[in-house]
Structure formats: C-alpha cells, structure tokens
Amino acid sequence: GISRGRKPSRAPRFAAQIVAIAPSMARLVVGLGNPGSEYEGTRHNVGFAVLDHLAGERGVLFRGPSRLDGWTGPRGFEWARVSADGGDAFLLKPGTYMNRSGDIVAPVARWLAKRGELPAAAAPDATDEDDEPAVDEPPQPQPIQPAGDSILVVYDDMDLDVGRLRLRPHGGHGGQNGMRSIIHRLATDRFPRLRVGIGRAGTDAARHVLSPFSESERQEIEVSIAEATEALEAWLDGDEFTDVMTRFHSRWNLRDS
C-alpha cells in the first residue's frame, strides 16, 4: 500500500518534443502483412509488397533475426539495411500475424534507439518540482524510447480506393489491427504512416482483406507500390516528411483526378 503522508510516485512523463534526426542516424520503415505463402498477394499484405519493392530498388535482401548481430529479442521478423543519403535505414517486416505487429516493432525500435541507430526521444521528466522525493524508493531506469518521427509504417487501408496513397505524420489506427497493436506497444501514435488503399469491403471485412486483388486491380496496385516506394526513398534520402507529403500528394491527386 501507499504510506500515509507521502505522495505516490508518478509515472515518468516524456517531453513532447523529440530529437531531430541527424544525418548519420537511421530511419525505420515497417511494412505490415501476414506471414506465409498463402497470404502473398493479398490485400492485407500490401505493406510487405511495398517494402519488397523498396528493397529490390536498393539491391538488398531480407534476412532473418539470426543474422542481426546483437539481437536477443523475439525472432519473428525479416529485416534489411539500406544505404540512403539521409543515413542508413532499417526495413522491418514483422513475422507475427497482423494483430501482433507491435510485439516486433516496439522492441526492435527500442533496440535500435538504445544502440544509437535511431534517434531517441527526449529524456523523461520524472517528477514535478513540487513532488516530494520518495527517498525509500530508488529511481528506476527508464527504457530508451525511439523518436516517433524516425519510424514510418506502411499498411493497407480499406477506407481508400484501390491504389490510392496517403501520407500522414501521425494519427489513430483507423480500425487497422496491425496499427492498433503498434500504437499500443509503442504507447504513442505520433509517428508517420503511408496508407495504401485496398478498396472498401462489403459485408465481410475479414474476407476482403485476405482476398487477392483482381487482374485490373493488380495493375493499379503495382503502379501504386512503385509510387509509394518513390515517396519512401525521398524520405530516406533526407527530405523532410512534410515536404514529401506535400509533393507526393500533389502528384497523386493529379493521377487520381
């Protein structure tokens, strides 16, 4: 219980500001999907498809966690490193099912931040000035948190027509279970994302997201995967996210009009 006459210790509060990304620091790009050959080419796996295309453009191959030097965390993912003008980037495809994506993304992001390969969030402000110190409770070390603007997640969105692309600097999960998991495990929704439209579902949303694209839709989505890759490359090469968003939205709006 809490001793009388003393205020309970408060949970550390992280400052709202975040450290700017230095040129030598990496950016983390996450693509969402489901593991297994039976899910290849389905709507829900378009995040994987974008990262596969990006890796192909940069001439790198995905590897398993056993090839990641120093990693001792959960094993279900594939990763690759790419060199870019904005600093080395880390590509990540969680190998859990969609609704557990955060179980991989959060520990990998924190591990990269601890190693200095991602910028860390501002140090926590553990107490207020008028708080009484809890002299009988030693301070607990806080895990290093990655700066949110160094992480970008690519995922499918049923609220967008097939092939429509939208960048956002932050926001909610919009009902997408992979994003729900990542936001929960990172304890923040303040990170960029790239949504890829997969078309609206009928009465069975689960069946829709696990279905393949039609032949005509496939042509549209392949163009969008290439255009999404161009936007990611601009961000990885050092362009500010807001500039990338403005420039590519203008281009995509012209295409979609």
Side-chain angles (χ1 to χ4, degrees), residues 4 22-23 68 79 81 92 98 100 103 115-116 127-128 134 144 146 150 159 165 176 184 222 224 233 239:
R4 297 191 180 190
L68 185 57
W79 65 277
R81 292 186 193 273
L92 177 64
M98 180 68 77
R100 292 181 53 209
D103 294 352
R115 290 166 59 96
T127 60
D128 289 335
I144 294 175
S150 65
D159 291 331
L165 299 169
Q176 214 275 3
H184 172 69
E222 286 178 356
S224 296
E233 289 188 301
D239 290 359

Side-chain angles (χ1 to χ4, degrees), residues 29-33 46-48 51 91-94 101 152-155:
V29 183
V30 180
L32 299 188
V46 74
F48 280 4
L51 256 66
L91 310 185
L92 177 64
K93 296 193 297 183
S101 298
L152 189 150
V153 182
V154 186
Y155 64 99

Side-chain angles (χ1 to χ4, degrees), residues 137-175:
E137 296 179 5
Q140 297 297 315
Q142 299 299 317
I144 294 175
Q145 300 291 336
D149 66 349
S150 65
I151 304 169
L152 189 150
V153 182
V154 186
Y155 64 99
D156 59 289
D157 192 328
M158 288 191 298
D159 291 331
L160 296 175
D161 292 339
V162 172
R164 296 280 298 237
L165 299 169
R166 286 294 177 269
L167 289 157
R168 289 288 182 271
H170 51 76
H173 54 72

Side-chain angles (χ1 to χ4, degrees), residues 1-8 132-133 136-137:
I2 299 173
S3 300
R4 297 191 180 190
R6 179 170 57 85
K7 294 181 182 179
E132 297 178 9
D136 57 337
E137 296 179 5

Side-chain angles (χ1 to χ4, degrees), residues 7-112:
K7 294 181 182 179
S9 57
R10 296 185 181 181
R13 294 182 294 112
F14 286 90
Q17 69 272 20
I18 50 183
V19 180
I21 297 175
S24 61
M25 288 184 174
R27 288 171 171 178
L28 170 62
V29 183
V30 180
L32 299 188
N34 282 315
S37 58
E38 66 269 33
Y39 297 107
E40 289 180 9
T42 61
R43 298 169 194 270
H44 226 11
N45 275 36
V46 74
F48 280 4
V50 171
L51 256 66
D52 287 340
H53 193 270
L54 174 59
E57 289 293 302
R58 293 290 172 131
V60 299
L61 297 174
F62 280 96
R63 301 177 176 184
S66 63
R67 302 290 299 277
L68 185 57
D69 187 40
W71 174 255
T72 58
R75 313 299 282 179
F77 62 90
E78 292 183 347
W79 65 277
R81 292 186 193 273
V82 299
S83 296
D85 293 345
D88 287 347
F90 195 93
L91 310 185
L92 177 64
K93 296 193 297 183
T96 57
Y97 286 98
M98 180 68 77
N99 61 1
R100 292 181 53 209
S101 298
D103 294 352
I104 295 296
V105 175
V108 169
R110 291 183 178 122
W111 180 77
L112 289 170

